[in-house]
Amino acid sequence: MWMAAKHIRLVFGIVSAGMFLQPASRAFAEDGDALVQHLVARLHQLGFTGKIGGSLEERLGRSVDPARANLGRLLWFDTITGLNNDNSCAGCHSPTRGFGDTQSIAIG
């Protein structure tokens, strides 16, 4: 899964760099559709469908227990899991960054 997040960041980085090498208005006006099509094609090539949540129970082979899922969510953000009760898993592995480690060195 971390490879998937790495690929997404790479694709977005390439697309972003391409947009900013030329004036922004021109990039969006002339190449906006081409960039979107390129990104969609690359994500499709990597197997991203945008429907991963819909296939979770099928891939698990069982239904998701809402109480356990909520417990996992609460623990992910709770600082009690940190070494000195000062950091959570999400402190480094942010959902906004594809749950990848956003730090250059381990701090937890």
Side-chain angles (χ1 to χ4, degrees):
M1 181 157 151
W2 69 271
M3 287 296 290
K6 184 177 178 181
H7 280 97
I8 289 175
R9 278 184 252 145
L10 176 64
V11 171
F12 282 127
I14 292 169
V15 170
S16 297
M19 287 191 314
F20 293 111
L21 290 176
Q22 51 188 304
S25 60
R26 197 174 116 203
F28 287 107
E30 296 176 7
D31 295 332
D33 291 335
L35 290 172
V36 169
Q37 290 173 1
H38 178 72
L39 180 58
V40 168
R42 182 65 177 140
L43 290 172
H44 179 71
Q45 181 184 24
L46 293 170
F48 291 95
T49 63
K51 299 177 183 178
I52 193 165
S55 65
L56 181 61
E57 291 183 354
E58 179 184 332
R59 290 180 291 120
L60 285 174
R62 60 177 172 78
S63 62
V64 175
D65 179 354
R68 287 184 179 177
N70 193 47
L71 175 61
R73 187 177 303 110
L74 292 172
L75 286 171
W76 187 260
F77 292 97
D78 196 329
T79 58
I80 197 169
T81 59
L83 185 61
N84 297 311
N85 294 336
D86 62 352
N87 196 12
S88 68
C89 297
C92 296
H93 303 276
S94 173
T96 62
R97 303 293 290 268
F99 295 98
D101 189 344
T102 60
Q103 308 300 317
S104 59
I105 60 170
I107 60 172

